[in-house]
Amino acid sequence: MLPNFAYIRPGSVKDAVDSLSSSGARVFAGGTDLIGCLRDEIFEAESVVSLNGIKELSGIRDTSDGGLRIGALTTVTEVAEHETVRQRYAGLAQAAESVASPQLRNQGTLGGNLCQRPRCWYFRGDFPCAKKGGAQCFAINGVNRYHCIFGGSVCVIVHPSDTAPALISLGAQVKIDGPGGERTIPLETFYILPEEDHERETVLETGEIVTEVILPPLEGWKSSYRKARERGSWDFALASVALAVREEGNRVREARVVFGGVAPKPWRSEPVEKEITGKRIDAGRARRAGEAAVKEAEPLDYNEYKIPLLQGLVEESLLAI
Ligand SMILES: Cc1cc2nc3c(=O)[nH]c(=O)nc-3n(C[C@H](O)[C@H](O)[C@H](O)COP(=O)(O)OP(=O)(O)OC[C@H]3O[C@@H](n4cnc5c(N)ncnc54)[C@H](O)[C@@H]3O)c2cc1C
């Protein structure tokens, strides 16, 4: 059953930040993740601060330099269907299209998708795990089929969002507002590993909210997002690959490759970037890049299957692009 909480619906970012300054306050965007977390008592809320009355947080606008600004309250469907996103940032459109079900994409927002909590069944279940302040991560020696093969330590979750790896591969920045004022940081530095702080997944401090995602102009870049899931219909990624490349004369000049579903945060793969930069992509290069992708993987007892899966996704993504 959903516990009692105060419901606050401010009309401006400043009022939202003020309302969120008390420690028991939680941000509510589309509510598709938050309400489940509260109902299942994963965490508590004294008050829930809805962003839905703040009009400026919705919508997609061109920037003067040819990039895009996407308000945090823009729905995942709007992102997936936006003409400019589809034409210039194909990887993001493909990632947004692959999120959950149509109903969840209509209700869920981009900001919520980036800030959703992990799906580990020990964290979501009735276990006093490390992420909830307990003494241990039950997944390390437990049933860890859906857990990480990179970046694990005191907690072995995987990052659940599809849009985050795609946005990072596209060089996106995220704008944050809070009690200390506004700041804009690369989305890549927004996420942290459990070894830095295993009770949270982002750099957001109390009272801070994501207000906007900013995409740079990407003249001459191509991008894609490829996702493997257990079910043919909607499901979280077992592994995914976001790829953005700029080619000149059939050779890759710049590349950003980011994995989803395999690490506690979106995982930038320098080995793959190194393997393809300056090179022509052919079958042999794609195979070597796939091998490089998983060289440093450290599987747990039940998730070794993620190694050939990720390797294949990297190979397929490179040949397709
Ligand atoms: C059955 C199911 C399947 C799903 N499958 C997928 C999938 O395949 N891929 C995928 O990527 N996602 C998937 N999701 C997650 C879904 O996409 C997210 O629930 C949704 O995007 C969250 O958006 P929301 O606006 O509803 O967020 P909310 O539920 O409102 O918020 C989610 C979290 O983010 C915080 N938050 C929200 N907005 C902000 C903000 N602007 N600033 C700071 N904090 C904020 C909230 O406090 C909360 O902790 C699935 C969810 C469900 C329930």
Side-chain angles (χ1 to χ4, degrees):
M1 209 171 82
L2 205 54
N4 287 329
F5 49 75
Y7 178 73
I8 303 167
R9 199 169 187 270
S12 69
V13 171
K14 187 187 171 305
D15 288 349
V17 168
D18 287 346
S19 304
L20 285 162
S21 61
S22 69
S23 62
R26 302 273 175 187
V27 180
F28 176 102
T32 60
D33 181 32
L34 180 76
I35 296 299
C37 288
L38 294 177
R39 187 197 51 214
D40 297 341
E41 297 178 1
I42 294 161
F43 51 73
E44 295 171 345
E46 278 163 33
S47 61
V48 161
V49 179
S50 168
L51 303 182
N52 287 284
I54 311 174
K55 295 284 161 274
E56 73 209 60
L57 293 185
S58 293
I60 304 179
R61 296 171 200 86
D62 292 323
T63 60
S64 54
D65 64 355
L68 275 188
R69 288 176 177 276
I70 310 180
L73 218 54
T74 309
T75 66
V76 177
T77 297
E78 286 173 86
V79 175
E81 292 181 351
H82 193 270
E83 211 38 54
T84 311
V85 174
R86 296 182 78 83
Q87 280 171 13
R88 284 200 261 137
Y89 306 96
L92 174 59
Q94 290 161 15
E97 247 166 21
S98 80
V99 167
S101 63
Q103 291 90 337
L104 285 159
R105 292 196 291 275
N106 288 341
Q107 177 70 19
T109 65
L110 184 62
N113 192 256
L114 297 178
C115 298
Q116 61 176 299
R117 304 304 308 277
R119 288 277 151 183
C120 170
W121 43 30
Y122 296 106
F123 172 64
R124 296 266 168 174
D126 196 13
F127 295 86
C129 77
K131 185 165 265 309
K132 287 188 285 200
Q136 60 170 309
C137 167
F138 294 95
I140 291 176
N141 295 311
V143 183
N144 43 40
R145 182 172 162 71
Y146 301 115
H147 294 75
C148 68
I149 56 172
F150 298 107
S153 54
V154 288
C155 162
V156 291
I157 54 159
V158 293
H159 177 77
S161 162
D162 286 307
T163 60
L167 283 165
I168 292 171
S169 75
L170 295 165
Q173 295 197 301
V174 66
K175 199 160 140 194
I176 296 166
D177 210 329
E182 237 177 47
R183 58 191 173 121
T184 300
I185 58 169
L187 183 60
E188 191 174 354
T189 61
F190 179 68
Y191 295 105
I192 56 175
L193 283 174
E195 65 194 26
E196 293 166 70
D197 183 346
H198 61 272
E199 291 191 27
R200 59 191 188 139
E201 297 88 45
T202 71
V203 297
L204 285 180
E205 301 288 349
T206 303
E208 285 192 324
I209 56 170
V210 170
T211 55
E212 202 168 61
V213 171
I214 304 160
L215 282 161
L218 285 180
E219 198 62 43
W221 285 72
K222 290 192 281 190
S223 61
S224 70
Y225 185 75
R226 216 170 187 88
K227 169 177 176 181
R229 47 191 145 189
E230 198 155 48
R231 292 182 293 195
S233 65
W234 52 272
D235 211 345
F236 288 92
L238 296 172
S240 67
V241 175
L243 177 65
V245 294
R246 186 176 67 76
E247 286 176 310
E248 268 172 25
N250 267 348
R251 282 179 192 274
V252 174
R253 286 296 157 212
E254 288 181 88
R256 283 192 291 262
V257 182
V258 187
F259 303 150
V262 291
K265 66 177 189 178
W267 195 254
R268 181 117 181 233
S269 179
E270 279 175 26
V272 175
E273 293 175 8
K274 251 193 186 153
E275 187 61 45
I276 61 175
T277 303
K279 315 280 174 30
R280 244 187 85 228
I281 304 293
D282 55 19
R285 182 67 52 198
R287 184 173 39 76
R288 284 194 289 282
E291 286 162 4
V294 295
K295 216 167 177 184
E296 287 161 15
E298 292 181 311
L300 301 162
D301 286 347
Y302 296 100
N303 68 1
E304 208 163 345
Y305 73 93
K306 287 197 179 190
I307 292 181
L309 186 63
L310 182 64
Q311 193 171 337
L313 282 176
V314 168
E315 237 181 287
E316 279 182 4
S317 299
L318 286 169
L319 291 176
I321 209 160

